[in-house]
Amino acid sequence: MRFDRLALEAFDDGWETLADSFAALPPLPTTLTKDSARTVIAWNNSPDVGFDRAVNPYRGCEHGCVYCYARPSHAYLGLSPGLDFETRLIFKADVAALLEKELRKPGYVPRPIALGSNTDPYQPVERQLKLTRAVLEVLERFGHPLTIVTKSAGVLRDLDILKRLAERRLVRVCISVTTLDAGLARILEPRAATPERRLAALGALAGAGIPTAVLAAPMIPAVNDMELERILERASSQGASRAGYVLLRLPLEIAGLFEDWLRAHMPDRAERVLSLVRQTRGGRAYDAGFAQRMSGTGPYAEMLAHRFRVAARRLGLDRAGPPGPGQESLDCAQFAVPPAAGGASGAARQLALF
């Protein structure tokens, strides 16, 4: 690990005992660890994202998307950005109570909160823990606007709350669609919803009157980039009103993980894909500069951006706003701090004035 003083590395003694022992390993179970965080709103001032605050109920993600840019965050916990990220999840059990506490702070100024900016708020464990739903309930009570990004059809479980929020112009939901090819999705995003289920969820959300967007992400050169227009077309037919895209990002440990995956699943084109990626990142695997980390630079990146603009304009998905769920139409004026549960004493109300 990047932050560990010592590292242990398995060694094959030449008798293939290492390969045999790994082959015999059972599937890794998901383990859950409670997060002791005292705050849950994460703030940022990045100029290339459309929000300045986010809430992530989970650290790590069961979806197992090989390209996930959030994987390196597990290294800060002394865990692997590989299998640990997919199987050793950290959950914020008190996320709803902590969020409410922060929203009640004097001087808090509301702007849309992003759910799903790091890991998916509707990953499979949400069915059990229901932390994302608890967050939605808090935001509804406060009249606080929010955006959601997910690649899970599980978002439909909360259709009741989302409909009420949409009626008040407090929510927009963005469904991420990487590919329309179920076979490719199976190896890229092994435990995420199938492409057809995501598109169906998009249609169900739009049909319920919830503003929706599609995020074609990530676009991977020579792997799924040829599908960009078709993804936007299918999303438009399901009622999406906006669209965005993001070029593949390979920060820190992700570069090695992705290259290993590529050579295992697409050995015939691995060198071509890696060459194209480097061409969009100034000759490196990744460039973290704000101006280009989402879209890259160079002829290939410019061509992809042009293709997106043309398709989005043709399909009416080019409304103003940053990639992902736009927020300029969300209403921040409805925010109001509700009475605390059980009421407050006169003394407490007086103290709240100071």
Side-chain angles (χ1 to χ4, degrees):
M1 303 301 166
R2 266 186 291 143
F3 302 100
D4 289 347
R5 290 186 176 184
L6 299 176
L8 300 178
E9 185 173 339
F11 177 74
D12 195 324
D13 59 7
W15 293 97
E16 298 184 354
T17 54
L18 187 62
D20 290 344
S21 63
F22 281 152
L25 289 175
L28 289 175
T30 296
T31 62
L32 300 174
T33 302
K34 184 177 178 180
D35 194 326
S36 58
R38 290 178 292 181
T39 61
V40 293
I41 298 180
W43 301 85
N44 80 83
N45 58 2
S46 303
D48 57 348
V49 295
F51 56 87
D52 67 354
R53 66 200 74 182
V55 171
N56 291 284
Y58 306 103
R59 302 174 76 173
C61 185
E62 293 175 286
H63 284 158
C65 306
V66 68
Y67 53 74
C68 182
Y69 65 84
R71 284 180 178 272
S73 63
H74 248 45
Y76 292 100
L77 306 174
L79 300 174
S80 160
L83 287 176
D84 284 348
F85 180 80
E86 304 173 26
T87 60
R88 299 179 65 176
L89 306 184
I90 316 297
F91 70 99
K92 300 172 183 175
D94 301 323
V95 62
L98 290 171
L99 175 60
E100 178 160 348
K101 181 180 179 181
E102 292 182 68
L103 297 183
R104 289 183 179 278
K105 288 183 177 179
Y108 175 82
V109 178
R111 289 193 64 198
I113 283 179
L115 299 182
S117 64
N118 196 44
T119 56
D120 201 309
Y122 286 101
Q123 59 179 289
V125 72
E126 169 63 14
R127 301 169 196 158
Q128 171 190 347
L129 298 182
K130 300 180 175 62
L131 298 181
T132 298
R133 184 174 179 88
V135 168
L136 294 182
E137 290 170 345
V138 170
L139 295 176
E140 182 183 20
R141 284 195 293 109
F142 278 75
H144 197 297
L146 70 142
T147 62
I148 297 172
V149 178
T150 181
K151 54 170 57 76
S152 173
V155 66
L156 297 180
R157 180 204 62 188
D158 295 332
L159 202 58
D160 56 336
I161 299 178
L162 296 175
K163 286 175 66 174
R164 294 195 298 268
L165 289 169
E167 289 169 357
R168 300 170 62 187
R169 293 192 297 116
L170 293 176
V171 71
R172 185 177 301 280
V173 179
C174 181
I175 301 292
S176 173
V177 180
T178 312
T179 175
L180 300 176
D181 182 337
L184 177 57
R186 178 67 176 170
I187 57 175
L188 261 179
E189 312 159 322
R191 288 173 293 282
T194 65
E196 289 302 321
R197 287 196 66 199
R198 292 182 224 179
L199 290 166
L202 191 62
L205 290 165
I210 299 163
T212 56
V214 63
L215 186 61
M219 286 289 100
I220 308 172
V223 173
N224 68 336
D225 59 341
M226 67 289 294
E227 298 187 68
L228 176 60
E229 289 84 357
R230 283 182 287 145
I231 290 172
L232 299 188
E233 288 166 0
R234 288 293 306 278
S236 176
S237 71
Q238 291 294 323
S241 58
R242 301 167 189 261
Y245 82 99
V246 178
L247 184 64
L248 176 68
R249 299 171 58 190
L250 298 176
L252 302 170
E253 291 92 347
I254 308 307
L257 288 170
F258 180 77
E259 182 173 349
D260 288 346
W261 175 89
L262 192 59
R263 295 194 184 282
H265 293 281
M266 301 179 178
D268 58 323
R269 69 179 100 165
E271 288 300 333
R272 181 180 174 223
V273 173
L274 294 173
S275 174
L276 287 170
V277 168
R278 288 191 292 269
Q279 289 176 40
T280 68
R281 303 297 184 183
R284 301 182 295 277
Y286 186 55
D287 183 346
F290 288 141
Q292 61 273 334
R293 63 176 179 168
M294 301 292 187
S295 56
T297 58
Y300 172 88
E302 293 171 4
M303 178 187 68
L304 189 66
H306 176 72
R307 286 173 53 199
F308 172 79
R309 287 193 298 269
V310 170
R313 185 165 56 247
R314 171 171 59 85
L315 297 167
L317 299 173
D318 58 341
R319 299 185 186 184
Q327 57 179 277
E328 65 277 7
S329 62
L330 299 182
D331 187 359
C332 296
Q334 297 182 48
F335 177 78
V337 177
S345 67
R349 286 194 296 267
Q350 288 293 325
L351 286 174
L353 297 175
F354 299 95

